[in-house]
Amino acid sequence: MPGDEPLELKEIKAIIDLMKKNNLAVFKLEKEGFKLELEAQRPVAPIVTATPSIPATVAPIAASPAPGPVPASVTEPRREWKEIVSPMVGTFYRAPSPESAPYVQVGQDVDEETVVCIIEAMKVMNEIKAEMRGVIAEVLVENGTPVQFGQPLFRVH
Amino acid sequence: MTGSLRLQTLRLLASPFGKGWTHAELATRTGASETEVQAALKSLRQDGWPLDFTGGRVSCAGEPPWLNPEAIELHLQTRRLGRPLVVYHETGSTNDRARQAAQGGAAEGLAIFAETQTSGRGQHGRRWLSPPGTGLWFTVLLRSALPVDDYPQLVQAAALSTAEALDGYMTVPPLIKWPNDLYVGPAKLAGFLLESASDAAWQVLGFGINVHAAPDLPGAQITCVDRHASYPPVRRTRLAADILYRFESWYRGWDARRLEACVRARQWQ
């Protein structure tokens, strides 16, 4: 950011717009004597989710892509979701090469060290580790598409 | 049209003659529109290319500080090997990545580089240390029809090609220590490792060369290219392209007897 003056309201609005556009949940900026934290209300994005934001009636549809132990009905699954988020801006790839099998599939166990995808940034491939234990419940990003810093890539439970 | 617009642009910018190019000149030379050229320049700059825009003319005197696949490609004169080539920031082992690609059906020639490996392998299951940014650690995928008995020679061809490429940079010739390590005097400079499919459908050939630094290993003498270079630091991208070129010429015109003679002439005592 140029100069030392705090952000103008206009600039903050621009940041919020960017967050919306890129499905960012949280934005933090901190420098001397100045701190800005923006947090979007959780279901900002048109991500396909198992969360019944329109409750009851549509529940069976919403639960479609996640197999296995997802209790599609009453319980409150959101608590148990964790997300693997992108640590950088780049392009998301699910496999090490176009010919290879994806690193992980839905339903697969992962631990801290499991490589789940690649983010290509500045022509360099970066392997992304799960850094958590769980089971891949959903892949949130299409192979080969650009992702933003902090964007959720996988849902894990 | 040869190569992508990015690569064509880089080729022009890397040319040492003149004072750079205007957007219009680049457009004419590449056959692209000025808008396309502008977009290419912008993305190159984002990828770390040190472009200079002085006086409305674009030039480029260097390359991104980290290992960049386009920077290698810029120097690459091979037909098959290193096409395509991929650079990982960090990976377990480039041989493992290449093996995965081979099993998935990737074609001969794929080369996988890593800035650092977390579980690089050396001979006899030993670890191979590859600190970030200091060396060339890469694997080439081959689908050779050579009999399995000749595989050891394939690794020797890798060692020999690397030595020959290094002759262009170093003041002393690296020698081949049996079976296939490169040494300068008492210190190890490079190592090579081949792994293959049980049905011989593919071979992955790993190259490990200490370029800018020699890892400290108790009880082992290790050296690096820069220590013996005429003009250090040696550019890894150019060196990689040279090695791939040398190796390809040995590989394509396979001549076991000539290979053996050249390896013997470089034998470390």
Side-chain angles (χ1 to χ4, degrees):
Chain A
M1 298 288 149
D4 278 332
E5 72 270 21
L7 290 178
E8 296 285 345
L9 187 62
K10 220 167 63 186
E11 292 174 81
I12 295 178
K13 276 186 178 155
I15 294 171
I16 293 173
D17 278 347
L18 272 174
M19 288 175 67
K20 278 188 187 151
K21 224 164 82 190
N22 297 306
N23 292 339
L24 287 190
V26 184
F27 176 91
K28 283 184 191 173
L29 173 69
E30 202 170 344
K31 54 183 186 179
E32 246 185 26
F34 178 78
K35 190 175 171 186
L36 175 70
E37 271 196 57
L38 299 172
E39 191 169 345
Q41 279 196 337
R42 211 43 202 103
V44 211
I47 304 171
V48 191
T49 115
T51 314
S53 54
I54 310 160
T57 49
V58 268
I61 303 167
S64 62
V70 184
S73 55
V74 215
T75 44
E76 193 188 31
R78 276 192 54 200
R79 278 262 166 88
E80 297 166 29
W81 295 126
K82 288 177 283 183
E83 279 167 344
I84 302 174
V85 300
S86 176
M88 60 180 63
V89 175
T91 308
F92 171 85
Y93 293 106
R94 289 192 58 197
S97 72
E99 297 88 3
S100 308
Y103 284 104
V104 288
Q105 302 278 12
V106 170
Q108 186 178 330
D109 284 317
V110 296
D111 63 25
E112 287 81 354
E113 290 299 306
T114 310
V115 174
V116 291
C117 66
I118 283 177
I119 308 269
E120 185 243 285
M122 294 183 285
K123 294 283 158 193
V124 174
M125 312 292 245
N126 297 276
E127 291 181 336
I128 307 302
K129 292 179 180 164
E131 286 173 3
M132 61 178 75
R133 282 173 179 279
V135 178
I136 300 287
E138 193 179 350
V139 185
L140 300 170
V141 183
E142 191 96 354
N143 190 47
T145 54
V147 293
Q148 297 299 319
F149 174 81
Q151 182 174 340
L153 305 172
F154 296 90
R155 186 158 288 152
V156 173
H157 67 86
Chain B
M1 279 280 275
T2 49
S4 66
L5 175 59
R6 289 167 62 97
L7 219 51
Q8 287 184 70
T9 308
L10 283 173
R11 276 208 187 94
L12 291 167
L13 296 180
S15 141
F17 305 107
K19 298 192 192 90
W21 307 82
T22 63
H23 285 72
E25 286 167 346
L26 286 172
T28 314
R29 290 292 191 121
T30 56
S33 72
E34 275 191 55
T35 326
E36 287 167 330
V37 165
Q38 214 148 19
L41 290 172
K42 193 177 159 207
S43 74
L44 285 170
R45 193 151 73 153
Q46 277 168 355
D47 286 351
W49 287 88
L51 303 186
D52 182 345
F53 290 88
T54 314
R57 304 184 79 82
V58 197
S59 59
C60 182
E63 58 183 43
W66 48 88
L67 202 57
N68 177 291
E70 285 172 319
I72 300 172
E73 213 178 329
L74 211 52
H75 301 294
L76 199 60
Q77 299 182 63
T78 57
R79 285 212 202 151
R80 293 287 287 281
L81 302 192
R83 304 184 188 276
L85 58 87
V86 175
V87 177
Y88 279 85
H89 175 69
E90 175 187 307
T91 191
S93 135
T94 53
N95 268 23
D96 289 350
R97 283 286 154 272
R99 186 192 307 118
Q100 259 179 312
Q103 285 162 347
E108 175 167 274
L110 169 73
I112 293 184
F113 290 73
E115 274 289 23
T116 179
Q117 302 178 100
T118 50
S119 50
R121 286 190 296 281
Q123 270 175 61
H124 316 302
R126 289 195 207 111
R127 285 194 61 204
W128 181 272
L129 289 180
S130 27
T134 64
L136 274 175
W137 336 111
F138 65 94
T139 296
V140 182
L141 169 61
L142 304 175
R143 291 187 180 278
S144 169
L146 285 174
V148 177
D149 288 350
D150 285 357
Y151 285 3
Q153 282 208 304
L154 214 45
V155 195
Q156 290 202 317
L160 180 63
S161 315
T162 303
E164 288 173 342
L166 285 169
D167 282 345
Y169 298 86
M170 291 171 53
T171 55
V172 287
L175 301 179
I176 299 171
K177 185 180 174 193
W178 184 264
N180 46 48
D181 284 335
L182 285 189
Y183 270 71
V184 174
K188 181 163 168 172
L189 180 70
F192 308 87
L193 187 73
L194 182 107
E195 296 171 74
S196 63
S198 51
D199 63 354
W202 49 260
Q203 305 83 32
V204 295
L205 182 49
F207 294 64
I209 303 130
N210 302 321
V211 181
H212 300 317
D216 255 332
L217 261 186
Q221 271 188 285
I222 300 174
T223 189
C224 64
V225 175
D226 277 356
R227 257 181 227 168
H228 312 282
S230 318
Y231 302 104
V234 166
R235 258 196 209 183
R236 289 181 297 160
T237 51
R238 260 191 68 183
L239 178 57
D242 287 356
I243 293 170
L244 285 169
Y245 181 71
R246 296 298 318 162
F247 181 72
E248 187 175 86
S249 53
W250 277 109
Y251 180 67
R252 285 176 69 90
W254 191 253
D255 180 342
R257 279 175 54 196
R258 195 164 67 88
L259 180 71
E260 201 186 321
C262 289
V263 168
R264 201 177 310 127
R266 263 193 198 261
Q267 207 59 254
W268 182 87
Q269 305 290 342

